[in-house]
Amino acid sequence: MHRMRLLIPWYPRVPLRTESLYFARWSSTGPPEQRGLMRFSTAEAAAKTGPPGRLREKTLTMATLNPQVKAVEYAVRGPIVIKAGDIERGLQQGVKQPFTEVIKANIGDSHAMGQQPITFVRQVVALCCFPELMDSPAFPEDAKQRARRILQDCGGQSLGAYSASQGVDCVRQDIAEYITQRDRGVPSDWNDVYLTTGASDGIMSILKLLVSGEGRSRTGVMIPIPQYPLYSAAISELEAVHINYYLDEANCWALDIEELHRAYLTAKQHCKPRVLCIINPGNPTGQVQSKKCIEDVLHFAYEENLFVMADEVYQDNVYSSDFQFHSFKKVLYEMGPKYFNNVELASFHSTSKGYTGECGFRGGYMEVLNMDPQVKAQLIKLLSVRLCPPVSGQAAMDVIVNPPKEHEPSYAQFTKEKSSILDALAHKARLTEQILNSVPGIKCNPVQGAMYAFPQIFIPPQAIQEAQALSLAPDMLYCLKLLEETGICVVPGSGFGQKEGTYHFRMTILPTPEKLKVLLQKLKEFHLRFLEKYSQQEAQMTSSSQQMSKQPD
């Protein structure tokens, strides 16, 4: 006769004080306070009710952190901006300051500074996001047509589907058509166009392809100084070699070809220069490079076998009537087949700048010329790792390159809004230059394009000594004091690079004209106080020193 064994379900052992909670998960009975714990697993319950255990050593610490991450610096969102956020939160909580608001002039974020969206851009993206609006008479037919075309190329005709890694086909086709029109007939192949998550994503992707080697064969990347900190941050992250070439401040930040040669020859002694980065119109410097300058740069790149990266996100932002935007591709084409069929060129554009300022959509594209076909396959592989850029950003990019035509119903409103924004920016560019140059100790080059001024500031020796004692760059001390006394947030020039012994700050021209005038007036008053304070300290110290030297031994 076999004995029958009673089969009892096995449960893992848990600490006595939490075991009941484990069973409570399976019961709908018991007191309410116990039933309320049913949502916790054993581990969760133990964490919430058990005694604190011994803290183990953390896996990720500053000692084990990737050193390239520690090397990354990004001044546009650096310590000044963090402090500005703290001050702003304090104001909201009633903390008294000598000002009533923080004016953030540190970043090119148009809508955050009050610029209104372009109606047609938002209409098309709204229709793409919510196609049920196609039945609404509030939306014009040309916006509906564009939305239908974009959705037709989306998986399931939904903006929520992944696109191909290179982007939605019809958007790439529209970009190629835009480039051809912009460059007055220079052909563009949509197979050379890649949608990106803002221009930054494309820039990073191309740099990843280019960086290789060890020691003296390590890739060197030539960047303008001053530069947009994305470049120095990316170079640090990828462990490439910075090759700084200095723009000519005395000549409105022009690019000097002799300086390119100097930087290149110096760098060849310790790395392999392979990449030349240009920002045109310039950020933070606001210059627009001449066609002759671009020709010289492309000839230099051809002779030295350099891959050219042309950051052209501000191509719509040209304010001086004496200058116009020339794309690197168009100039390369006009230099003849010898150059056009050989120089490797990647050019970048974005929804974030121009007249639209749609930073949050993170839309952008790059056009890549003369890339080795096998390398192009590797680029597509690399892009596929991040699946695809935001499809809503791709839709916004499409509208920017395919705006209303003259015969379409949205043309008049679109043209009015675009002109209004660009005219206002041109006015603010002139206003900023004029007021800054009226202040003793500040010198500002003309803001020919982009969205920024990068004035040089005189900092008295006593202030420099104080900054050194605090382990701060002198222009960082200046910007901190400006923020603390006026609520104005700008970025020190040391975050962008500058010639040794010179000091600058970068500010946007994006605030409304009324707010910009307030900002510039406050800045003027602060600068005069700053000069007076540190000049007096220096005079007092000089006087004390002279008196001591006159005392008898």
Side-chain angles (χ1 to χ4, degrees):
M1 184 176 179
H2 297 286
R3 292 184 179 179
M4 295 181 61
R5 287 189 297 176
L6 181 63
L7 298 178
I8 301 174
W10 178 87
Y11 295 99
R13 295 299 299 168
V14 292
L16 181 62
R17 64 181 294 172
T18 61
E19 191 170 23
S20 61
L21 297 181
Y22 183 91
F23 288 102
R25 294 178 67 243
W26 304 99
S27 173
S28 60
T29 60
E33 62 272 16
Q34 191 173 6
R35 292 203 305 271
L37 292 169
M38 288 164 59
R39 64 184 181 276
F40 296 125
S41 70
T42 304
E44 290 170 329
K48 290 186 175 292
T49 63
R54 182 181 64 84
L55 293 177
R56 70 166 178 83
E57 183 180 346
K58 292 190 180 297
T59 300
L60 182 60
T61 66
M62 288 302 292
T64 61
L65 179 69
N66 181 344
Q68 272 57 64
V69 173
K70 286 190 275 189
V72 169
E73 294 183 2
Y74 191 63
V76 174
R77 292 179 182 262
I80 291 280
V81 184
I82 294 171
K83 186 172 181 64
D86 292 340
I87 293 174
E88 194 168 40
R89 284 186 289 274
L91 284 171
Q92 293 168 354
Q93 295 167 7
V95 177
K96 297 298 182 183
Q97 295 284 0
F99 45 84
T100 57
E101 65 171 332
V102 173
I103 303 177
K104 294 179 180 176
N106 61 293
I107 194 167
D109 191 349
S110 303
H111 292 187
M113 299 306 294
Q115 179 179 308
Q116 294 303 301
I118 296 290
T119 301
F120 191 71
V121 174
R122 289 297 180 88
Q123 285 175 333
V124 175
V125 175
L127 288 163
C128 288
C129 289
F130 195 62
E132 287 82 352
L133 293 172
M134 297 283 188
D135 297 328
S136 171
F139 289 80
E141 187 56 34
D142 48 354
K144 293 177 181 179
Q145 289 173 353
R146 281 163 176 75
R148 290 190 194 102
R149 181 165 182 265
I150 294 168
L151 289 173
Q152 191 66 39
D153 265 17
C154 293
Q157 298 191 23
S158 171
L159 220 62
Y162 290 127
S163 76
S165 299
Q166 301 99 306
V168 174
D169 284 355
C170 72
V171 178
R172 296 167 66 205
Q173 292 161 4
D174 287 344
I175 290 169
E177 178 62 25
Y178 160 80
I179 293 170
T180 301
Q181 292 180 2
R182 180 199 68 187
D183 293 343
R184 300 180 183 180
V186 178
S188 177
D189 184 345
W190 69 278
N191 290 299
D192 294 330
V193 173
Y194 304 83
L195 275 297
T196 58
T197 307
S200 304
D201 173 47
I203 290 165
M204 194 70 181
S205 296
I206 295 297
L207 284 174
K208 284 179 181 178
L209 295 178
L210 285 158
V211 175
S212 65
E214 299 292 338
R216 292 185 63 179
S217 66
R218 190 65 171 165
T219 294
V221 182
M222 303 186 71
I223 58 173
I225 299 296
Q227 53 97 31
Y228 179 52
L230 163 68
Y231 292 92
S232 56
I235 293 167
S236 295
E237 183 179 343
L238 296 172
E239 286 190 275
V241 180
H242 296 77
I243 305 174
N244 297 338
Y245 66 89
Y246 290 87
L247 301 176
D248 185 0
E249 184 171 13
N251 191 22
C252 290
W253 300 111
L255 197 162
D256 180 2
I257 197 67
E258 294 302 320
E259 171 61 12
L260 276 184
H261 282 286
R262 179 207 63 78
Y264 176 84
L265 292 173
T266 302
K268 279 185 70 175
Q269 300 174 25
H270 61 270
C271 70
K272 174 64 175 174
R274 299 179 67 204
V275 192
L276 173 58
C277 299
I278 313 285
I279 308 173
N280 181 50
N283 176 11
T285 45
Q287 86 287 356
V288 179
Q289 300 294 0
S290 68
K291 183 179 179 182
K292 175 64 167 60
C293 171
I294 296 172
E295 288 174 346
D296 290 343
V297 169
L298 289 170
H299 177 75
F300 171 76
Y302 175 84
E303 293 294 329
E304 304 299 350
N305 201 30
L306 297 172
F307 191 109
V308 178
M309 297 177 63
D311 183 338
E312 299 176 332
V313 301
Y314 296 100
Q315 58 191 257
D316 289 307
N317 301 99
V318 178
Y319 313 123
S320 173
S321 58
D322 298 329
F323 292 88
Q324 67 180 88
F325 169 76
H326 298 278
S327 77
F328 269 72
K329 181 185 177 182
K330 178 174 180 288
V331 175
L332 188 64
Y333 182 84
E334 293 170 347
M335 290 172 71
K338 171 184 171 182
Y339 294 93
F340 188 68
N341 295 330
N342 285 288
V343 174
E344 296 154 281
L345 169 68
S347 55
F348 307 90
H349 197 13
S350 170
T351 62
S352 301
K353 310 305 175 185
Y355 55 89
T356 54
E358 293 284 10
C359 301
F361 278 120
R362 306 308 300 132
Y365 74 78
M366 60 183 176
E367 184 185 27
V368 184
L369 302 181
N370 298 321
M371 179 173 277
D372 180 283
Q374 291 181 306
V375 175
K376 183 182 270 193
Q378 295 297 311
L379 171 61
I380 294 171
K381 180 184 74 174
L382 185 64
L383 296 177
S384 71
V385 172
R386 51 92 156 118
L387 296 176
C388 70
V391 184
S392 56
Q394 296 185 49
M397 190 79 253
D398 185 79
V399 186
I400 291 168
V401 299
N402 185 23
K405 306 295 190 293
E406 193 167 356
H407 64 277
E408 293 181 315
S410 299
Y411 179 78
Q413 181 180 12
F414 171 83
T415 304
K416 180 181 178 181
E417 291 176 351
K418 176 182 176 180
S419 298
S420 175
I421 290 169
L422 291 175
D423 289 347
L425 286 169
H427 168 69
K428 291 186 286 188
R430 292 189 294 270
L431 180 70
T432 300
E433 176 196 346
Q434 290 168 1
I435 294 180
L436 289 177
N437 281 329
S438 72
V439 184
I442 297 181
K443 183 180 184 301
C444 182
N445 273 319
V447 182
Q448 299 166 350
M451 299 175 170
Y452 315 97
F454 195 68
Q456 184 174 161
I457 50 176
F458 171 73
I459 298 183
Q462 193 63 31
I464 295 173
Q465 291 175 20
E466 181 178 322
Q468 291 170 343
L470 296 169
S471 299
L472 295 173
D475 47 16
M476 173 66 86
L477 175 71
Y478 180 95
C479 292
L480 278 171
K481 289 187 175 295
L482 174 66
L483 174 63
E484 292 167 349
E485 293 184 26
T486 69
I488 295 171
C489 179
V490 298
V491 188
S494 49
F496 299 87
Q498 55 197 350
K499 281 191 173 180
E500 189 172 352
T502 67
Y503 307 105
H504 303 77
F505 64 80
R506 189 192 80 161
M507 60 166 283
T508 70
I509 60 169
L510 292 174
T512 62
E514 297 73 25
K515 188 166 287 189
L516 183 62
K517 288 177 183 177
V518 170
L519 183 158
L520 292 169
Q521 183 60 35
K522 284 187 171 185
L523 200 157
K524 179 177 181 177
E525 293 168 357
F526 165 81
H527 186 78
L528 293 175
R529 290 197 306 272
F530 186 87
L531 291 182
E532 183 180 13
K533 173 184 175 181
Y534 287 101
S535 297
Q536 285 180 352
Q537 286 184 7
E538 188 172 356
Q540 290 171 357
M541 291 183 66
T542 302
S543 175
S544 299
S545 177
Q546 290 173 346
Q547 290 176 2
M548 290 179 67
S549 64
K550 291 178 181 178
Q551 292 179 358
D553 294 335

